[in-house]
Amino acid sequence: MSANSAEAEPAPERVDVVLRKAGRLKIRYPAELLSDDGVRVVVRAEWAGGGARDFGFVRFEPGDVFTEWYWRDRWYAVKEVRDPSGALKGWYCDVTRPAERTGGEVVVEDLDLDLWRSADGRRVLRLDEDEFATSGLRERDPHAAERAEAALDELEELAREDGFGGLLD
């Protein structure tokens, strides 16, 4: 391969992932767009949480790489987490409203419920159900609350069955 052909390769497309919660910005971070087929958007980004964050069941640290799948027709996002050496830590799943991609942004609204599946598949944890219960979503938007709870159930079933294999292929 000549130097000229290497120069001809386009730079990866960049997008900002925008996570909103209760109508407010929770976090915004840059990501590399891997694909967008009109239904599913896939991006890759480094841990954007500042320093390390220890959840007890996993520790996210600078240099960790997240490959993230967002759907325009599903009420969740699935994030594969790897350490800087490429070793799989597991999958962190956010229950969200369906994603929207507008120009250079992928925008999702966090609905509090989350799920973790360890790399070996032995630990599947439903997270933040207490936050969801006190969020007021059931009263403000019963339909969204019902969809969020169903999404968490679906994620748990997928995590226990094949670890998202069929979903992410």
Short mmCIF file of all heavy atoms in Angstrom, two decimals, residues 89-139:
data_model
loop_
_atom_site.label_atom_id
_atom_site.label_comp_id
_atom_site.label_asym_id
_atom_site.label_seq_id
_atom_site.Cartn_x
_atom_site.Cartn_y
_atom_site.Cartn_z
N LYS A 89 -15.13 -6.69 29.89
CA LYS A 89 -15.60 -6.54 31.26
C LYS A 89 -17.05 -7.01 31.38
O LYS A 89 -17.44 -7.59 32.38
CB LYS A 89 -15.51 -5.08 31.72
CG LYS A 89 -14.10 -4.59 31.93
CD LYS A 89 -14.10 -3.18 32.51
CE LYS A 89 -12.71 -2.74 32.90
NZ LYS A 89 -12.74 -1.43 33.61
N GLY A 90 -17.86 -6.71 30.37
CA GLY A 90 -19.26 -7.10 30.39
C GLY A 90 -20.10 -6.14 29.56
O GLY A 90 -19.58 -5.40 28.73
N TRP A 91 -21.41 -6.17 29.82
CA TRP A 91 -22.35 -5.33 29.09
C TRP A 91 -23.18 -4.52 30.08
O TRP A 91 -23.76 -5.08 31.02
CB TRP A 91 -23.30 -6.19 28.26
CG TRP A 91 -22.62 -6.89 27.13
CD1 TRP A 91 -22.52 -6.46 25.83
CD2 TRP A 91 -21.95 -8.14 27.17
NE1 TRP A 91 -21.82 -7.37 25.10
CE2 TRP A 91 -21.46 -8.41 25.89
CE3 TRP A 91 -21.71 -9.07 28.19
CZ2 TRP A 91 -20.75 -9.57 25.59
CZ3 TRP A 91 -20.99 -10.21 27.91
CH2 TRP A 91 -20.53 -10.45 26.61
N TYR A 92 -23.24 -3.23 29.84
CA TYR A 92 -24.07 -2.33 30.63
C TYR A 92 -25.21 -1.90 29.73
O TYR A 92 -24.98 -1.43 28.61
CB TYR A 92 -23.26 -1.11 31.09
CG TYR A 92 -23.96 -0.33 32.17
CD1 TYR A 92 -23.74 -0.63 33.50
CD2 TYR A 92 -24.84 0.69 31.84
CE1 TYR A 92 -24.39 0.08 34.50
CE2 TYR A 92 -25.48 1.39 32.84
CZ TYR A 92 -25.26 1.09 34.16
OH TYR A 92 -25.91 1.78 35.15
N CYS A 93 -26.42 -2.07 30.20
CA CYS A 93 -27.59 -1.75 29.38
C CYS A 93 -28.40 -0.65 30.05
O CYS A 93 -28.68 -0.72 31.25
CB CYS A 93 -28.46 -2.98 29.22
SG CYS A 93 -27.59 -4.42 28.59
N ASP A 94 -28.75 0.35 29.27
CA ASP A 94 -29.60 1.45 29.74
C ASP A 94 -31.00 1.27 29.17
O ASP A 94 -31.15 1.07 27.96
CB ASP A 94 -29.08 2.80 29.22
CG ASP A 94 -27.84 3.27 29.91
OD1 ASP A 94 -27.74 3.12 31.13
OD2 ASP A 94 -26.96 3.83 29.22
N VAL A 95 -32.00 1.40 30.01
CA VAL A 95 -33.37 1.49 29.52
C VAL A 95 -33.60 2.95 29.17
O VAL A 95 -33.39 3.84 30.00
CB VAL A 95 -34.38 0.97 30.56
CG1 VAL A 95 -35.80 1.22 30.09
CG2 VAL A 95 -34.15 -0.52 30.82
N THR A 96 -33.98 3.19 27.91
CA THR A 96 -34.14 4.54 27.39
C THR A 96 -35.35 4.59 26.46
O THR A 96 -35.84 3.56 26.01
CB THR A 96 -32.91 4.96 26.55
OG1 THR A 96 -32.86 4.15 25.37
CG2 THR A 96 -31.61 4.83 27.33
N ARG A 97 -35.77 5.78 26.16
CA ARG A 97 -36.71 5.91 25.04
C ARG A 97 -35.94 5.59 23.76
O ARG A 97 -34.71 5.64 23.75
CB ARG A 97 -37.26 7.34 24.98
CG ARG A 97 -38.19 7.67 26.12
CD ARG A 97 -38.75 9.09 25.96
NE ARG A 97 -39.47 9.48 27.16
CZ ARG A 97 -40.76 9.26 27.38
NH1 ARG A 97 -41.48 8.63 26.46
NH2 ARG A 97 -41.33 9.67 28.49
N PRO A 98 -36.63 5.24 22.68
CA PRO A 98 -35.92 4.97 21.43
C PRO A 98 -35.01 6.14 21.04
O PRO A 98 -35.33 7.30 21.27
CB PRO A 98 -37.05 4.77 20.42
CG PRO A 98 -38.18 4.23 21.26
CD PRO A 98 -38.07 4.99 22.56
N ALA A 99 -33.87 5.79 20.46
CA ALA A 99 -32.86 6.79 20.09
C ALA A 99 -33.31 7.61 18.89
O ALA A 99 -34.08 7.15 18.05
CB ALA A 99 -31.55 6.09 19.78
N GLU A 100 -32.76 8.80 18.82
CA GLU A 100 -32.93 9.67 17.66
C GLU A 100 -31.55 10.08 17.19
O GLU A 100 -30.68 10.37 18.01
CB GLU A 100 -33.73 10.93 18.03
CG GLU A 100 -35.14 10.65 18.48
CD GLU A 100 -35.87 11.92 18.90
OE1 GLU A 100 -35.32 13.03 18.72
OE2 GLU A 100 -36.97 11.79 19.43
N ARG A 101 -31.35 10.09 15.89
CA ARG A 101 -30.10 10.62 15.34
C ARG A 101 -30.43 11.81 14.48
O ARG A 101 -31.16 11.70 13.49
CB ARG A 101 -29.36 9.57 14.52
CG ARG A 101 -28.08 10.15 13.95
CD ARG A 101 -27.13 9.10 13.42
NE ARG A 101 -25.99 9.79 12.81
CZ ARG A 101 -25.46 9.46 11.65
NH1 ARG A 101 -25.92 8.41 10.98
NH2 ARG A 101 -24.45 10.14 11.17
N THR A 102 -29.91 12.93 14.89
CA THR A 102 -30.12 14.17 14.16
C THR A 102 -28.75 14.75 13.85
O THR A 102 -28.02 15.13 14.77
CB THR A 102 -30.93 15.17 15.00
OG1 THR A 102 -32.11 14.53 15.45
CG2 THR A 102 -31.28 16.41 14.21
N GLY A 103 -28.40 14.77 12.58
CA GLY A 103 -27.10 15.29 12.20
C GLY A 103 -25.99 14.55 12.91
O GLY A 103 -25.88 13.34 12.83
N GLY A 104 -25.21 15.28 13.67
CA GLY A 104 -24.07 14.70 14.35
C GLY A 104 -24.33 14.27 15.77
O GLY A 104 -23.39 14.16 16.56
N GLU A 105 -25.60 14.02 16.12
CA GLU A 105 -25.93 13.62 17.49
C GLU A 105 -26.78 12.35 17.51
O GLU A 105 -27.67 12.18 16.67
CB GLU A 105 -26.71 14.71 18.22
CG GLU A 105 -25.94 15.97 18.48
CD GLU A 105 -26.76 16.98 19.26
OE1 GLU A 105 -28.01 16.93 19.23
OE2 GLU A 105 -26.14 17.83 19.91
N VAL A 106 -26.50 11.50 18.50
CA VAL A 106 -27.38 10.38 18.84
C VAL A 106 -27.93 10.74 20.21
O VAL A 106 -27.17 10.89 21.17
CB VAL A 106 -26.60 9.04 18.90
CG1 VAL A 106 -27.53 7.91 19.33
CG2 VAL A 106 -25.95 8.73 17.56
N VAL A 107 -29.25 10.92 20.27
CA VAL A 107 -29.88 11.42 21.49
C VAL A 107 -30.80 10.35 22.08
O VAL A 107 -31.63 9.77 21.36
CB VAL A 107 -30.70 12.70 21.21
CG1 VAL A 107 -31.35 13.24 22.47
CG2 VAL A 107 -29.83 13.77 20.55
N VAL A 108 -30.63 10.09 23.39
CA VAL A 108 -31.50 9.16 24.09
C VAL A 108 -31.88 9.75 25.44
O VAL A 108 -31.15 10.55 26.02
CB VAL A 108 -30.84 7.77 24.30
CG1 VAL A 108 -30.67 7.04 22.99
CG2 VAL A 108 -29.54 7.86 25.03
N GLU A 109 -33.05 9.34 25.91
CA GLU A 109 -33.51 9.76 27.24
C GLU A 109 -33.46 8.57 28.17
O GLU A 109 -34.13 7.55 27.96
CB GLU A 109 -34.94 10.30 27.18
CG GLU A 109 -35.39 10.79 28.54
CD GLU A 109 -36.81 11.32 28.55
OE1 GLU A 109 -37.38 11.57 27.48
OE2 GLU A 109 -37.35 11.47 29.66
N ASP A 110 -32.66 8.70 29.22
CA ASP A 110 -32.48 7.67 30.24
C ASP A 110 -33.74 7.56 31.09
O ASP A 110 -34.25 8.57 31.58
CB ASP A 110 -31.28 8.06 31.11
CG ASP A 110 -30.88 7.01 32.12
OD1 ASP A 110 -31.62 6.02 32.29
OD2 ASP A 110 -29.83 7.18 32.76
N LEU A 111 -34.21 6.33 31.29
CA LEU A 111 -35.42 6.10 32.10
C LEU A 111 -35.09 5.39 33.42
O LEU A 111 -35.94 4.73 34.00
CB LEU A 111 -36.45 5.30 31.29
CG LEU A 111 -36.95 6.02 30.04
CD1 LEU A 111 -37.90 5.13 29.25
CD2 LEU A 111 -37.61 7.34 30.38
N ASP A 112 -33.87 5.55 33.89
CA ASP A 112 -33.39 5.10 35.20
C ASP A 112 -33.06 3.62 35.29
O ASP A 112 -32.10 3.27 35.97
CB ASP A 112 -34.36 5.46 36.34
CG ASP A 112 -34.40 6.95 36.60
OD1 ASP A 112 -33.32 7.57 36.72
OD2 ASP A 112 -35.50 7.51 36.68
N LEU A 113 -33.80 2.74 34.68
CA LEU A 113 -33.54 1.31 34.82
C LEU A 113 -32.31 0.90 34.03
O LEU A 113 -32.09 1.38 32.91
CB LEU A 113 -34.75 0.50 34.35
CG LEU A 113 -36.03 0.69 35.14
CD1 LEU A 113 -37.19 0.01 34.44
CD2 LEU A 113 -35.86 0.17 36.56
N ASP A 114 -31.50 0.01 34.61
CA ASP A 114 -30.28 -0.47 33.96
C ASP A 114 -30.12 -1.96 34.25
O ASP A 114 -30.74 -2.51 35.16
CB ASP A 114 -29.06 0.27 34.50
CG ASP A 114 -29.13 1.76 34.28
OD1 ASP A 114 -29.16 2.19 33.12
OD2 ASP A 114 -29.18 2.51 35.28
N LEU A 115 -29.24 -2.58 33.46
CA LEU A 115 -28.93 -4.00 33.65
C LEU A 115 -27.45 -4.20 33.39
O LEU A 115 -26.88 -3.57 32.49
CB LEU A 115 -29.75 -4.85 32.69
CG LEU A 115 -29.57 -6.35 32.87
CD1 LEU A 115 -30.90 -7.00 33.24
CD2 LEU A 115 -29.01 -6.99 31.62
N TRP A 116 -26.82 -5.06 34.17
CA TRP A 116 -25.42 -5.43 33.98
C TRP A 116 -25.34 -6.93 33.75
O TRP A 116 -25.99 -7.70 34.45
CB TRP A 116 -24.58 -5.05 35.20
CG TRP A 116 -23.20 -5.60 35.14
CD1 TRP A 116 -22.70 -6.66 35.84
CD2 TRP A 116 -22.13 -5.15 34.30
NE1 TRP A 116 -21.39 -6.89 35.49
CE2 TRP A 116 -21.01 -5.98 34.55
CE3 TRP A 116 -22.01 -4.12 33.37
CZ2 TRP A 116 -19.79 -5.80 33.90
CZ3 TRP A 116 -20.80 -3.95 32.72
CH2 TRP A 116 -19.71 -4.78 32.99
N ARG A 117 -24.51 -7.32 32.77
CA ARG A 117 -24.18 -8.74 32.55
C ARG A 117 -22.67 -8.83 32.53
O ARG A 117 -22.00 -8.18 31.72
CB ARG A 117 -24.73 -9.26 31.24
CG ARG A 117 -24.40 -10.75 31.03
CD ARG A 117 -24.87 -11.22 29.66
NE ARG A 117 -24.79 -12.65 29.53
CZ ARG A 117 -23.71 -13.30 29.07
NH1 ARG A 117 -22.63 -12.64 28.71
NH2 ARG A 117 -23.72 -14.61 28.97
N SER A 118 -22.11 -9.64 33.43
CA SER A 118 -20.66 -9.80 33.50
C SER A 118 -20.16 -10.53 32.26
O SER A 118 -20.92 -11.22 31.57
CB SER A 118 -20.27 -10.57 34.76
OG SER A 118 -20.84 -11.87 34.74
N ALA A 119 -18.86 -10.41 32.00
CA ALA A 119 -18.25 -11.01 30.81
C ALA A 119 -18.47 -12.52 30.77
O ALA A 119 -18.68 -13.10 29.71
CB ALA A 119 -16.76 -10.69 30.76
N ASP A 120 -18.42 -13.18 31.94
CA ASP A 120 -18.60 -14.63 31.98
C ASP A 120 -20.07 -15.05 32.02
O ASP A 120 -20.38 -16.23 31.99
CB ASP A 120 -17.84 -15.25 33.16
CG ASP A 120 -18.34 -14.78 34.52
OD1 ASP A 120 -19.39 -14.10 34.59
OD2 ASP A 120 -17.66 -15.07 35.51
N GLY A 121 -20.97 -14.08 32.09
CA GLY A 121 -22.40 -14.37 32.09
C GLY A 121 -22.97 -14.84 33.41
O GLY A 121 -24.16 -15.10 33.53
N ARG A 122 -22.13 -14.93 34.43
CA ARG A 122 -22.60 -15.45 35.72
C ARG A 122 -23.40 -14.43 36.52
O ARG A 122 -24.20 -14.83 37.37
CB ARG A 122 -21.42 -15.94 36.55
CG ARG A 122 -20.76 -17.16 35.97
CD ARG A 122 -19.68 -17.68 36.85
NE ARG A 122 -19.03 -18.81 36.21
CZ ARG A 122 -17.80 -19.17 36.43
NH1 ARG A 122 -17.06 -18.52 37.32
NH2 ARG A 122 -17.28 -20.21 35.81
N ARG A 123 -23.14 -13.15 36.29
CA ARG A 123 -23.86 -12.12 37.04
C ARG A 123 -24.72 -11.31 36.09
O ARG A 123 -24.23 -10.67 35.16
CB ARG A 123 -22.89 -11.18 37.75
CG ARG A 123 -22.14 -11.88 38.86
CD ARG A 123 -21.35 -10.91 39.67
NE ARG A 123 -22.26 -10.21 40.60
CZ ARG A 123 -21.87 -9.24 41.38
NH1 ARG A 123 -20.65 -8.80 41.36
NH2 ARG A 123 -22.74 -8.68 42.21
N VAL A 124 -26.01 -11.34 36.32
CA VAL A 124 -26.97 -10.50 35.61
C VAL A 124 -27.70 -9.73 36.70
O VAL A 124 -28.39 -10.33 37.54
CB VAL A 124 -27.95 -11.33 34.75
CG1 VAL A 124 -29.00 -10.43 34.12
CG2 VAL A 124 -27.18 -12.11 33.68
N LEU A 125 -27.51 -8.42 36.70
CA LEU A 125 -28.05 -7.59 37.77
C LEU A 125 -29.01 -6.54 37.23
O LEU A 125 -28.66 -5.79 36.31
CB LEU A 125 -26.90 -6.87 38.49
CG LEU A 125 -25.78 -7.73 39.06
CD1 LEU A 125 -24.65 -6.84 39.55
CD2 LEU A 125 -26.32 -8.61 40.17
N ARG A 126 -30.20 -6.49 37.81
CA ARG A 126 -31.14 -5.41 37.53
C ARG A 126 -30.74 -4.25 38.44
O ARG A 126 -30.56 -4.44 39.63
CB ARG A 126 -32.56 -5.87 37.80
CG ARG A 126 -33.02 -6.96 36.84
CD ARG A 126 -34.32 -7.58 37.28
NE ARG A 126 -35.43 -6.69 37.14
CZ ARG A 126 -36.37 -6.77 36.19
NH1 ARG A 126 -36.30 -7.71 35.28
NH2 ARG A 126 -37.36 -5.91 36.15
N LEU A 127 -30.63 -3.06 37.87
CA LEU A 127 -30.12 -1.92 38.61
C LEU A 127 -31.11 -0.75 38.62
O LEU A 127 -31.87 -0.57 37.68
CB LEU A 127 -28.80 -1.45 37.99
CG LEU A 127 -27.72 -2.51 37.81
CD1 LEU A 127 -26.60 -1.99 36.94
CD2 LEU A 127 -27.21 -2.96 39.17
N ASP A 128 -31.04 0.01 39.69
CA ASP A 128 -31.73 1.30 39.82
C ASP A 128 -33.25 1.21 39.79
O ASP A 128 -33.93 2.19 39.47
CB ASP A 128 -31.24 2.28 38.75
CG ASP A 128 -29.74 2.50 38.83
OD1 ASP A 128 -29.19 2.43 39.95
OD2 ASP A 128 -29.11 2.72 37.79
N GLU A 129 -33.79 0.06 40.18
CA GLU A 129 -35.25 -0.05 40.24
C GLU A 129 -35.82 0.89 41.30
O GLU A 129 -36.93 1.39 41.14
CB GLU A 129 -35.66 -1.50 40.48
CG GLU A 129 -35.37 -2.37 39.26
CD GLU A 129 -35.74 -3.82 39.43
OE1 GLU A 129 -35.06 -4.51 40.23
OE2 GLU A 129 -36.70 -4.27 38.76
N ASP A 130 -35.06 1.17 42.36
CA ASP A 130 -35.51 2.11 43.37
C ASP A 130 -35.59 3.53 42.80
O ASP A 130 -36.56 4.25 43.07
CB ASP A 130 -34.60 2.07 44.60
CG ASP A 130 -33.13 2.28 44.27
OD1 ASP A 130 -32.71 2.07 43.10
OD2 ASP A 130 -32.37 2.65 45.20
N GLU A 131 -34.60 3.94 42.00
CA GLU A 131 -34.64 5.25 41.36
C GLU A 131 -35.83 5.36 40.42
O GLU A 131 -36.49 6.40 40.36
CB GLU A 131 -33.36 5.50 40.55
CG GLU A 131 -32.15 5.83 41.38
CD GLU A 131 -30.94 6.10 40.50
OE1 GLU A 131 -31.09 6.67 39.40
OE2 GLU A 131 -29.83 5.73 40.93
N PHE A 132 -36.08 4.30 39.68
CA PHE A 132 -37.21 4.29 38.75
C PHE A 132 -38.53 4.46 39.52
O PHE A 132 -39.39 5.24 39.13
CB PHE A 132 -37.22 2.99 37.95
CG PHE A 132 -38.37 2.87 37.00
CD1 PHE A 132 -38.37 3.54 35.79
CD2 PHE A 132 -39.47 2.07 37.30
CE1 PHE A 132 -39.43 3.44 34.91
CE2 PHE A 132 -40.52 1.95 36.43
CZ PHE A 132 -40.51 2.63 35.22
N ALA A 133 -38.65 3.75 40.64
CA ALA A 133 -39.88 3.80 41.43
C ALA A 133 -40.16 5.20 41.96
O ALA A 133 -41.32 5.62 42.05
CB ALA A 133 -39.82 2.80 42.59
N THR A 134 -39.11 5.94 42.29
CA THR A 134 -39.30 7.29 42.85
C THR A 134 -39.21 8.39 41.80
O THR A 134 -39.37 9.56 42.12
CB THR A 134 -38.26 7.57 43.96
OG1 THR A 134 -36.95 7.49 43.40
CG2 THR A 134 -38.41 6.58 45.11
N SER A 135 -38.98 8.02 40.54
CA SER A 135 -38.81 9.03 39.49
C SER A 135 -40.10 9.75 39.12
O SER A 135 -40.06 10.83 38.53
CB SER A 135 -38.24 8.38 38.22
OG SER A 135 -39.22 7.56 37.59
N GLY A 136 -41.24 9.15 39.43
CA GLY A 136 -42.51 9.75 39.06
C GLY A 136 -42.95 9.43 37.64
O GLY A 136 -43.99 9.90 37.19
N LEU A 137 -42.18 8.61 36.92
CA LEU A 137 -42.53 8.29 35.54
C LEU A 137 -43.87 7.56 35.45
O LEU A 137 -44.65 7.81 34.53
CB LEU A 137 -41.43 7.48 34.87
CG LEU A 137 -41.62 7.23 33.37
CD1 LEU A 137 -41.61 8.55 32.59
CD2 LEU A 137 -40.55 6.28 32.83
N ARG A 138 -44.14 6.68 36.41
CA ARG A 138 -45.42 5.94 36.37
C ARG A 138 -46.61 6.89 36.40
O ARG A 138 -47.62 6.64 35.75
CB ARG A 138 -45.51 4.97 37.54
CG ARG A 138 -44.71 3.72 37.34
CD ARG A 138 -45.03 2.68 38.43
NE ARG A 138 -44.17 1.54 38.30
CZ ARG A 138 -43.14 1.27 39.10
NH1 ARG A 138 -42.87 2.07 40.12
NH2 ARG A 138 -42.40 0.22 38.90
N GLU A 139 -46.48 7.98 37.13
CA GLU A 139 -47.58 8.95 37.22
C GLU A 139 -47.58 9.90 36.01
O GLU A 139 -48.65 10.20 35.47
CB GLU A 139 -47.45 9.77 38.51
CG GLU A 139 -47.63 8.97 39.80
CD GLU A 139 -46.42 8.10 40.15
OE1 GLU A 139 -45.27 8.47 39.82
OE2 GLU A 139 -46.65 7.01 40.74
#
